[in-house]
């Protein structure tokens, strides 16, 4: 079977130019390596996800020349797959129940010598009696991954040799909602995704995901973590930076052709006008390594 790349947006707002650029990179990398390209809507977070945002995201991707194979998949309709995978992990002894509130975790992380970005380990080694006490207190547990302590290394197509340590991430929340790291791994395996191109803000999650893939007997895909887009002050691009979505651009009279041209220019692609025209000459290795500083065409 030929492999697949994918783009997997969370429908919590319109895609901004940085998201569109990452999607273009994922599409170009898949198409130039003759892979299928899949679109998956990561809408498990019921509070932040809106179907109307998903529709607009798909329309914007289409508008800049991205196409995809097969039906768009929505994570909210695939929860039985996540349940099965979670059962495998629980039965294998690779999980533990966590009774911490967000506040408990924040406090433990701010203790001297604690790592502020990782789960502090509070519930990892609870005895049977301690667990029974917590259960009786009425607080339903989240299910966390019991991750190994060592490093995982991967050869990143953009970052080069990379490594990080898996974290005890949440797999299922106390209210039964499945979490990002479980769903993303289950879906990529189920959909035959063997190439993941995404923003480098997710590079830290990669070791955890490689570990989960191994526990679920899957094959590790290739990874490319691409730099996020920054504003002229070197900060992550946000709504405050002017015309950053296609809708903003349209209001200001900036055509989508101009947006596509700007994205292609940022990829070091010279002389091509559409994504499709760029496929033949595209190579991730040619991607400029410096972050792209975005200046809205309205401000040029
Ligand atoms: N849904 C994630 C996001 O929008 C992307 C997940 C992934 O590419 O692994 O940031």
């Amino acid at each position: 079977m030929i492999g697949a790349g994918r783009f997997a947006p969370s429908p919590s707002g319109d895609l901004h130019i940085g998201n569109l650029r990452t999607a273009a990179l994922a599409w170009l990398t898949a198409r130039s390596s003759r892979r299928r390209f899949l679109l998956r809507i990561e809408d498990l977070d019921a509070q932040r996800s809106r179907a109307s945002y998903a529709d607009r995201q798909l329309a914007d991707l289409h508008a800049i020349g991205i196409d995809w194979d097969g039906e768009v998949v929505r994570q909210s309709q695939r929860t039985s797959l996540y349940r099965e995978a979670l059962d495998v992990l629980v039965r294998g002894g690779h999980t533990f129940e966590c009774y911490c509130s967000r506040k408990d975790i924040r406090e433990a992380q701010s203790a001297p010598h604690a790592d502020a970005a990782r789960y502090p380990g509070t519930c990892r080694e609870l005895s049977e009696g301690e667990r029974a006490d917590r259960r009786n207190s009425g607080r339903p547990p989240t299910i966390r991954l019991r991750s190994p302590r060592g490093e995982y290394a991967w050869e990143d197509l953009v970052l080069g040799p990379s490594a990080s340590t898996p974290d005890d991430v949440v797999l299922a929340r106390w209210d039964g909602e499945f979490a990002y790291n479980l769903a993303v791994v289950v879906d990529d395996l189920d959909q035959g995704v063997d190439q993941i191109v995404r923003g480098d803000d997710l590079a830290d999650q990669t070791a955890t995901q490689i570990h989960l893939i191994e526990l679920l007997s899957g094959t590790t895909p290739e990874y490319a973590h691409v730099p996020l887009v920054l504003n002229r002050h070197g900060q992550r691009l946000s709504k405050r930076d002017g015309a950053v979505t296609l809708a903003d651009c349209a209001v200001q009279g900036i055509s989508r052709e101009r947006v596509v041209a700007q994205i292609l220019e940022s990829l070091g692609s010279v002389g091509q006008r559409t994504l499709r025209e760029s496929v033949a000459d595209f190579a991730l290795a040619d991607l400029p390594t410096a972050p792209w500083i975005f200046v809205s065409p309205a401000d040029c």
Side-chain angles (χ1 to χ4, degrees), residues 11-12 16 24 82 86 96 104 109 132-133 135 142 156 171 187 189 199 229 235 237 241 265 274 295:
S12 55
H16 65 50
Y82 313 139
L86 183 65
F96 62 92
D104 296 334
Q109 283 172 332
D133 282 349
R135 264 189 213 135
T142 56
D156 196 284
L171 301 174
D187 282 334
L189 291 178
V229 178
Q235 299 148 337
L237 197 68
D241 297 310
E265 199 185 297
T274 64
V295 179

Side-chain angles (χ1 to χ4, degrees), residues 34 47 60 89 128 140 155 157 180 187 209 236 291 295:
R34 301 187 182 286
Q47 289 198 340
D60 284 354
L89 298 172
E128 210 29 75
E155 186 61 38
L157 298 181
Y180 160 69
D187 282 334
Q209 293 176 11
R236 265 173 91 154
V295 179

Side-chain angles (χ1 to χ4, degrees), residues 94 118 145-156 160-168 203-216 218 220-221 223 225:
H94 304 298
R118 302 173 69 80
L145 176 67
R146 183 181 291 283
S147 62
R149 290 306 184 217
E151 279 208 328
Y152 275 67
W154 73 95
E155 186 61 38
D156 196 284
S162 304
S164 60
T165 312
D167 195 6
D168 292 343
D204 280 350
Q205 310 282 338
T206 303
T208 305
Q209 293 176 11
I210 294 175
H211 176 58
L212 274 169
I213 291 168
E214 289 179 356
L215 293 177
L216 296 170
T220 308
Y223 290 98
H225 288 96

